[in-house]
DNA sequence: ACCTGAACACCGTTCAAGT
DNA sequence: ACCTGAACACCGTTCAAGT
């Protein structure tokens, strides 16, 4: 069921995923879906958390926690941009809060702590990193650049922008961590 | 017409703004709206660009261009968070591209240039700033925190987070500008 | 447990016609 | 220029009933 929903999504984008179309693709009456899914919202939440399972999560004990954080965010960015049709859904929910999302958040916290960020500053740093990553994924998958330029931004250029901004953010985080030590 | 749409929006959020409800609020048949508006999408675009006119735009010749950039982004953040119902729409379009959006982008570019950012780096820096600002506005207006924590983030804490992350980003931008000089 | 038929309360939008 | 009546092609969801 989730698989069929995902197929519909990649084929036609967010607006193509309706319960009725999903049902017809499964050769079934529209209401039959409600034997497998509690609501469309729930279906979308499941879809989103499923995607997050593809993120490559570095171990919490990585030698270089900052590099591991960069890898984690970059992998998240890659997974999101590889599934452009899901990114708008992500934004609409302001990030998922399924099991995988929680797991990723905890891993980030562990790495931030090992990078020297004091406990008080961990949620803050985590949020800035998440906002940067999801925001940039939205930016690079969107048809319309948000900056008023005429041409859409090329995927690889967006990726480079993401990486550069990520370095800035990480540098700020570790610098603050050093200052408070 | 725009005013009535905005009222509906603040009263009931995004999902309350339907053409039919808007029409009934104006005591008019649903299709009568199409004498004033080309489509619902266009109506939303107009609404979004209208909001951007409220942003406090510092002069391009400000003595301290970095401080002016910080002020511009902070004002944008304030305007967005003051109208939470519009932020999801913003995300769905990945930023508006109306006249006001273009104007703000140009002002940002001028300030970035005066801050010493080389021409090649201007669009990149602009995008990182925009992503950070809109992303954080989404984060703090959203009912669900994206980080898996149980309680929603308090508005003032989100504002502090935004400001801290903004400092990190700006620091990275000026440092790179200095390195390339 | 899983499906169907029928229905409810909605959507955005178009078309022809009226003033 | 602005409005209406009527319609089209959709939505998500529920309810009762069947197997």
């Amino acid at each position: 069921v989730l698989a069929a929903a995902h197929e519909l999504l990649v084929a036609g984008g967010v607006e193509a995923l309706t319960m009725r179309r999903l049902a017809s693709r499964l050769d079934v009456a529209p209401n039959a879906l409600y034997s497998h899914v509690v609501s469309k919202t729930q279906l979308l939440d499941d879809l989103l958390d499923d995607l997050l399972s593809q993120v490559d999560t570095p171990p919490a004990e990585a030698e270089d926690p900052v590099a591991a954080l960069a890898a984690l965010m970059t992998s998240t960015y890659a997974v999101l941009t590889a599934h452009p049709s899901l990114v708008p859904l992500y934004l609409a929910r302001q990030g998922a809060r399924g099991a995988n999302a929680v797991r990723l958040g905890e891993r980030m916290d562990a790495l931030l702590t090992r990078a020297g960020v004091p406990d008080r500053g961990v949620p803050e740093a985590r949020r800035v990193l998440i906002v940067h990553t999801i925001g940039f994924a939205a930016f690079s998958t969107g048809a319309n650049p948000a900056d008023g330029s005429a041409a859409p931004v090329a995927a690889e250029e967006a990726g480079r922008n993401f990486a550069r901004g990520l370095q800035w953010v990480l540098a700020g985080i570790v610098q603050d961590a050093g200052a408070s030590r």
Side-chain angles (χ1 to χ4, degrees), chain A:
Chain A
V1 191
L2 283 179
H6 195 103
E7 284 172 28
L8 257 185
L9 213 41
V10 305
V14 203
E15 63 220 6
L17 177 54
T18 71
M19 299 301 268
R20 294 181 110 101
R21 276 198 248 218
L22 180 55
S24 91
R25 163 168 282 236
L26 296 170
D27 275 323
V28 110
N31 46 5
L33 292 175
Y34 290 86
S35 300
H36 302 90
V37 149
V38 49
S39 71
K40 186 184 183 183
T41 305
Q42 185 62 242
L43 171 68
L44 295 179
D45 285 343
D46 292 349
L47 227 45
L48 293 178
D49 210 60
D50 241 40
L51 183 62
L52 284 187
S53 70
Q54 296 179 24
V55 173
D56 194 33
T57 315
E61 315 81 22
E63 327 85 273
D64 185 345
V66 177
L69 273 170
L72 200 168
M73 303 322 291
T74 303
S75 174
T76 303
Y77 176 81
V79 168
L80 289 177
T81 50
H83 300 263
S85 44
L86 279 171
V87 175
L89 298 180
Y90 238 105
L91 292 171
R93 320 201 164 316
Q94 277 112 22
R97 60 199 178 305
N100 284 318
V102 170
R103 187 177 52 77
L104 285 178
E106 288 168 352
R107 181 57 47 93
M108 289 179 69
D109 287 358
L111 290 169
L112 283 167
T113 299
R114 289 202 40 240
V117 177
D119 284 0
R120 296 190 61 247
V122 165
E124 175 175 72
R126 174 178 10 97
R127 284 178 208 126
V128 174
L129 285 170
I130 291 174
V131 164
H132 181 78
T133 303
I134 300 185
F136 242 100
F139 188 86
S140 46
T141 58
N144 336 327
D147 54 84
S149 73
V153 182
E156 53 181 84
E157 189 184 351
R160 259 181 278 126
N161 279 15
F162 164 74
R164 179 80 77 109
L166 181 59
Q167 291 310 316
W168 292 341
V169 171
L170 284 173
I173 289 173
V174 302
Q175 185 170 328
D176 274 19
S180 72
R181 192 175 290 149

